[in-house]
Amino acid sequence: MTTVYERRAAPAVTPPARRSPAGAALALLWAGAAAVLALWWADTGSVVGTAGWLTGAGRIAGLLCGYACAVLVGLMARMPVLERRVGSDRVARWHAMAGRYTVCLLLAHIGLILTGYAAQDSASLWHETVTVVLDYPEMLKATAGTVILLAVGVTSARAVRRRTGHEFWYYVHLLTYAAVFLSFGHQLALGNDFNGNSVATAAWYALYLGVAALVLWFRILAPVRLNLRHRLRVESVHHEAPGVWSVVVHGRDLDQLGALAGQFFRWRFLADGLRWTSTPYSLSAPPRRDRMRITVKSLGDHSAAVALLRPGTRVWAEGPYGSLTGDRQTSSKSLLIGGGVGITPLRALFETLPGEVTLLYRARTVEDLALGGELEAVARWRGARLHYLLNGPGGQRPRITAESLRSALPDLAEHDVYLCGPHGFARDLYEELRAAGVPDRRIHHESFEL
């Protein structure tokens, strides 16, 4: 059964594109790193001898690691300015990169400091390690934090994540907060750059307390407020295609959420087998005043269990997130290309994007065209173009090439292109679009495969 919402007229005029704050955010982060290096430089006199160079390098690595820990947690805070303007997938990649930097700096800090101290005291590395851990203030807690942070880093590696469940990775990842908390005290107790420097100490406290406030507000208080206010429950579940189901969620004053077509929420259904997992699913129709809809393909235990939801099931949601919206549109012409269940955010955009819109939907068979009836109705209603790209009789998959795209749309380079589908599908299409002359700034894509 296909669930059709009442349609709303798409805007006739393309609004001016909102500029992404990504460049400004990265500049601010690098400026913070430069300020940390300046702190070391201002507080360091002449460096003498091998021990001096080793401990100096260890201090630099430690300061940068402490700063990176704050950045790492800040990027986990799900600030709307980043999640909705930069894009959740891009912020997640920044977080992953910050995590790698943090672990490398942590290992460098430990190795350099201990080696430098051992050289300075003419002691063995093992003796120096035991002395530092057991006798130095705040070091037992810092050691525990180090072990936790290294465990988080190991479980975040792709090879490990492929062999563990999402829930295991998620809950281990949350231990990052504990690791940072345990490690904070020794930064001030043993950091030569903070001893007697009240300005630097105050700035460090402000950095960490500010990040903690962001996490408290956006990860805890804002979701609690959202769910208490809007009272979300499952209204109905509909079968769309083999292994694909739509879930309509009912709530109060949902128009006040500010959700846009193309965005997603993180959904937690308070039912057996689902309540402990929060999973991102895109809106598959423009949000309405009293309901929202997602469309889910059965790809694992969680997504398969969605089909078994019953009306009245309570829902806990966080969001809206994502930047795959009309705000990124720079032209009056748009091409949407979706593969498989990647059609879900594009279905909502197909209805609401202003101007001339073309949708290319890649699926294996006619039966796999989830939401096909709605797409055809929207295409007729607004005079948009809809093309299906299906496998051949023998199962052969037709390629989407730069030549075929230019043949279908001679003015392709003047289009904004929205992509959504499996990672390999989107990567290959990006290369073909660039070969076809579409500027990078006009190719819009958001991925959940992080």
Side-chain angles (χ1 to χ4, degrees):
M1 174 180 179
T2 299
T3 54
V4 182
Y5 279 26
E6 69 277 9
R7 291 186 290 273
R8 295 178 175 177
V13 179
T14 302
R18 298 174 67 184
R19 186 173 182 179
S20 169
L26 287 175
L28 181 62
L29 293 179
W30 285 112
V36 169
L37 290 175
L39 172 63
W40 175 85
W41 181 268
D43 192 59
T44 301
S46 59
V47 179
V48 179
T50 301
W53 282 104
L54 288 170
T55 54
R59 284 174 54 201
I60 293 175
L63 285 169
L64 289 174
C65 181
Y67 173 71
C69 283
V71 171
L72 191 69
V73 174
L75 291 173
M76 294 171 66
R78 296 178 186 166
M79 292 178 283
V81 68
L82 296 180
E83 296 283 334
R84 303 178 191 178
R85 298 282 305 281
V86 175
S88 296
D89 60 338
R90 193 172 184 181
V91 174
R93 288 194 293 272
W94 289 356
H95 171 74
M97 183 178 295
R100 289 189 287 271
Y101 284 154
T102 302
V103 171
C104 291
L105 287 167
L106 175 61
L107 293 174
H109 170 64
I110 295 171
L112 290 167
I113 283 289
L114 291 177
T115 304
Y117 284 178
Q120 180 177 301
D121 297 339
S122 299
S124 69
L125 188 59
W126 172 252
H127 178 271
E128 198 66 37
T129 300
V130 173
T131 300
V132 169
V133 171
L134 297 181
D135 296 343
Y136 282 39
E138 299 287 340
M139 275 307 303
L140 282 175
K141 289 194 297 183
T143 301
T146 297
V147 172
I148 294 173
L149 197 58
L150 292 176
V152 172
V154 169
T155 57
S156 297
R158 287 187 182 273
V160 177
R161 286 192 61 182
R162 284 196 294 264
R163 292 170 172 79
T164 57
H166 174 78
E167 292 83 0
F168 174 80
W169 170 84
Y170 176 77
Y171 287 112
V172 170
H173 214 63
L174 288 180
L175 293 175
T176 301
Y177 298 124
V180 173
F181 174 78
L182 289 169
S183 303
F184 179 74
H186 101 283
Q187 297 178 41
L188 298 179
L190 299 177
N192 292 336
D193 304 281
F194 299 108
N195 294 333
N197 189 335
S198 58
V199 174
T201 301
W204 212 248
Y205 268 111
L207 173 65
Y208 273 77
L209 290 176
V211 166
L214 292 175
V215 172
L216 176 65
W217 179 256
F218 292 115
R219 291 296 298 263
I220 299 175
L221 298 181
V224 168
R225 177 177 178 269
L226 182 156
N227 288 278
L228 290 177
R229 179 180 184 183
H230 298 288
R231 305 286 182 176
L232 302 175
R233 291 184 181 271
V234 173
E235 180 179 282
S236 56
V237 180
H238 306 273
H239 183 251
E240 303 286 4
V244 180
W245 299 80
S246 284
V247 181
V248 179
V249 176
H250 184 274
R252 301 184 304 187
D253 302 320
L254 299 184
D255 54 327
Q256 296 181 20
L257 285 171
L260 302 174
Q263 290 188 310
F264 68 92
F265 286 75
R266 297 179 186 274
W267 305 90
R268 189 187 304 273
F269 299 100
L270 305 186
D272 291 342
L274 294 174
R275 66 177 70 248
W276 300 111
T277 302
S278 176
T279 306
Y281 294 124
S282 296
L283 298 175
S284 61
R288 309 306 187 199
R289 185 177 182 278
D290 60 347
R291 60 175 55 86
M292 298 183 290
R293 188 186 70 181
I294 59 175
T295 300
V296 180
K297 183 175 179 62
S298 177
L299 297 173
D301 293 342
H302 184 276
S303 52
V306 167
L308 304 177
L309 287 170
R310 295 290 177 260
T313 301
R314 293 181 61 190
V315 181
W316 184 274
E318 299 176 38
Y321 302 124
S323 62
L324 193 71
T325 68
D327 286 344
R328 300 175 72 171
Q329 194 176 24
T330 63
S331 167
S332 61
K333 300 177 182 180
S334 298
L335 170 64
L336 315 181
I337 308 178
V341 78
I343 195 63
T344 53
L346 302 186
R347 153 64 183 93
L349 288 169
F350 192 47
E351 180 177 332
T352 57
L353 279 178
E356 179 184 312
V357 181
T358 302
L359 172 60
L360 178 61
Y361 185 1
R362 171 77 177 85
R364 289 181 298 176
T365 66
V366 172
E367 290 74 21
D368 293 316
L369 292 171
L371 308 175
E374 288 187 25
L375 295 171
E376 292 163 12
V378 171
R380 288 193 300 270
W381 159 69
R382 64 172 299 175
R385 288 181 286 183
L386 171 63
H387 302 285
Y388 296 141
L389 191 62
L390 307 175
N391 289 359
Q396 62 272 25
R397 303 180 64 179
R399 288 191 61 217
I400 304 175
T401 64
E403 291 73 20
S404 64
L405 289 169
R406 279 198 301 259
S407 176
L409 292 171
D411 58 347
L412 177 63
E414 300 174 12
H415 285 65
D416 279 287
V417 183
Y418 290 79
L419 301 179
C420 194
H423 179 70
F425 170 85
R427 182 193 62 232
D428 294 343
L429 265 177
Y430 175 84
E431 297 299 331
E432 296 296 338
L433 287 165
R434 294 294 288 123
V438 181
D440 180 76
R441 69 180 184 279
R442 288 188 171 175
I443 302 176
H444 314 304
H445 170 57
E446 198 159 42
S447 171
F448 295 130
E449 297 186 28
L450 307 175

